[in-house]
Amino acid sequence: MSHPEQGLRVLKHSLRSRLFHWGLILGFMPAAITGFILWLKLGSDDFVNLAMKIHIVGAVIFTVSSLLYVIVAFDRVIAFVRLIWTWDDRDIGWMLTGGGYPQKMLLGKEIDVPPMDKLNSGQKIFGICVSIGGLLLIVTGWILYSFIPLAPKAFIHGADLVHMAFGVFLGLFMFVHIFLGLYNWSEFKAMFGDGTQLLSEVEHHNPLYAANKLERATHPDADEPIGVPSCKVE
Amino acid sequence: MAHYDYVEKAVNVSRREFLGMVGVAGAILWTGAYAATDLVQDRNKYIKMRAQGIYKDDVKAKVRQSHHNPGLKDMYQKFAGQPLSPLAEELFHTRYIDRTRLG
């Protein structure tokens, strides 16, 4: 991919992460949209029946993508889990200012916000909700698919409630995520493009990440190392 | 193909983190497998108990076939004529409903 913008570039999202993101788009997104259709019974019986079929196919893609990502990108999962559960005073400051987004969106002025790592505090909250909620959705979803004739009714009812509550919550969260992704256009281009972002943009949005977690690529023009795990177990 | 100047440093996964993740995955799989096998075992147990109960009732019963049921015979004699008569068809015949449709 050619880059008309001049400047140094950072590989922010590896191919493994971008493929997983596509897995979520093709799996979670249809499952979430059809989940709302099933919940609210929008449309005729035939339409709701079709929605259930799409919901199940989406669930398969979502589950397989998640399992594959944990296996082939274990280091990225660990880095993600570490980051979303690491909170300090900077996160409190970021939350108190809303990351400067309300001021920027509503008043059109930019304010100073505490420096952030690869994920800002809002994204960390999103990450916590998605990782726990996603796991619960997968587990309860397959319980509902497989064990309704076998399991006690109270258990199935509980699984149904958990599935619905987290489904609605994460489904609505997804729309917020899409909006913020489009709002932060360079991030959107990185995730849906070649995974790279200008260093100047990374330094602006993720100064701690730029300062502490980046290193010079040994072969800047080399093809991206596909499927080569970069983790070491100590 | 991607052209870039900087990459993220390699992530060193500690033994504690590795074991933690494997532990969580193992706990989920073990709990799921235990719950599934427990449900199937319970189901098989209840099916066997139910079948034994039915056989026991059957052994004790004086009339073992439904068409020898005196109440039923009486009903046909006084009311519905004979099995598959038009009135019996109208009152007792059930219609097929496709319940495989999820909606």
Side-chain angles (χ1 to χ4, degrees):
Chain A
M1 179 179 273
S2 65
H3 294 290
E5 310 99 320
Q6 294 297 310
L8 299 170
R9 300 196 72 82
V10 177
L11 178 64
K12 201 171 183 189
H13 304 297
S14 67
L15 182 64
R16 293 172 295 166
S17 297
R18 292 183 337 255
L19 286 175
F20 174 54
H21 197 253
W22 273 110
L24 296 180
I25 291 167
L26 298 174
F28 184 82
M29 194 188 276
I33 293 168
T34 50
F36 282 113
I37 293 170
L38 294 167
W39 178 44
L40 302 170
K41 294 206 185 315
L42 301 173
S44 64
D45 283 358
D46 283 342
F47 183 67
V48 175
N49 194 42
L50 175 67
M52 179 54 101
K53 285 177 181 164
I54 296 170
H55 193 73
I56 293 167
V57 173
V60 171
I61 297 172
F62 176 43
T63 307
V64 171
S65 304
S66 304
L67 286 174
L68 279 179
Y69 190 65
V70 171
I71 293 167
V72 304
F74 190 69
D75 57 323
R76 298 311 318 154
V77 175
I78 291 292
F80 178 73
V81 171
R82 264 186 210 163
L83 191 53
I84 59 175
W85 291 107
T86 304
W87 287 71
D88 58 25
D89 292 345
R90 285 184 282 249
D91 294 293
I92 308 293
W94 194 95
M95 294 299 290
L96 290 174
T97 57
Y101 285 105
Q103 296 84 344
K104 194 174 172 185
M105 288 175 179
L106 302 175
L107 305 174
K109 66 174 184 178
E110 292 204 14
I111 61 164
D112 287 337
V113 292
M116 289 285 110
D117 205 305
K118 190 173 184 179
L119 301 177
N120 63 41
S121 310
Q123 289 169 321
K124 286 182 187 178
I125 292 175
F126 184 73
I128 290 169
C129 294
V130 165
S131 51
I132 295 175
L135 188 62
L136 282 171
L137 279 181
I138 288 173
V139 171
T140 53
W142 290 117
I143 286 171
L144 292 172
Y145 181 79
S146 312
F147 294 119
I148 286 180
L150 302 174
K153 279 183 183 172
F155 177 71
I156 290 296
H157 182 60
D160 189 37
L161 282 179
V162 170
H163 194 76
M164 200 183 73
F166 277 89
V168 170
F169 181 63
L170 289 185
L172 294 174
F173 233 35
M174 180 188 75
F175 291 108
V176 177
H177 177 70
I178 292 169
F179 169 74
L180 289 174
L182 288 168
Y183 184 76
N184 194 349
W185 187 241
S186 66
E187 187 71 43
F188 185 90
K189 281 198 295 183
M191 185 52 90
F192 287 93
D194 60 5
T196 69
Q197 205 173 10
L198 278 172
L199 179 62
S200 55
E201 287 167 346
V202 176
E203 284 173 332
H204 175 71
H205 288 288
N206 317 94
L208 292 181
Y209 173 68
N212 302 322
K213 293 189 176 169
L214 295 183
E215 64 184 4
R216 191 88 193 179
T218 42
H219 302 290
D221 290 330
D223 292 341
E224 187 182 331
I226 300 169
V228 180
S230 56
C231 68
K232 295 173 197 157
V233 179
E234 289 175 333
Chain B
M1 290 299 172
H3 296 271
Y4 49 87
D5 310 283
Y6 288 91
V7 288
E8 197 171 325
K9 290 174 192 169
V11 176
N12 292 319
V13 181
S14 68
R15 185 180 296 171
R16 180 187 286 255
E17 286 170 326
F18 180 77
L19 291 176
M21 288 293 284
V22 171
V24 169
I28 291 169
L29 289 174
W30 189 86
T31 309
Y34 177 81
T37 50
D38 198 47
L39 283 170
V40 172
Q41 278 179 348
D42 271 359
R43 188 194 66 160
N44 290 343
K45 188 175 82 182
Y46 294 137
I47 289 171
K48 274 184 187 167
M49 286 166 71
R50 174 76 180 138
Q52 282 170 354
I54 290 169
Y55 278 120
K56 206 181 278 178
D57 287 350
D58 219 18
V59 168
K60 285 182 195 165
K62 285 179 186 168
V63 179
R64 296 191 187 177
Q65 289 94 17
S66 58
H67 61 280
H68 291 155
N69 180 343
L72 205 61
K73 284 160 90 173
D74 192 45
M75 185 272 295
Y76 274 115
Q77 205 170 26
K78 291 178 181 169
F79 179 63
Q82 58 180 13
L84 301 178
S85 68
L87 184 59
E89 275 281 302
E90 189 189 331
L91 294 175
F92 310 140
H93 186 78
T94 56
R95 286 169 185 80
Y96 173 72
I97 298 167
D98 184 2
R99 295 186 199 281
T100 59
R101 299 173 69 78
L102 299 162

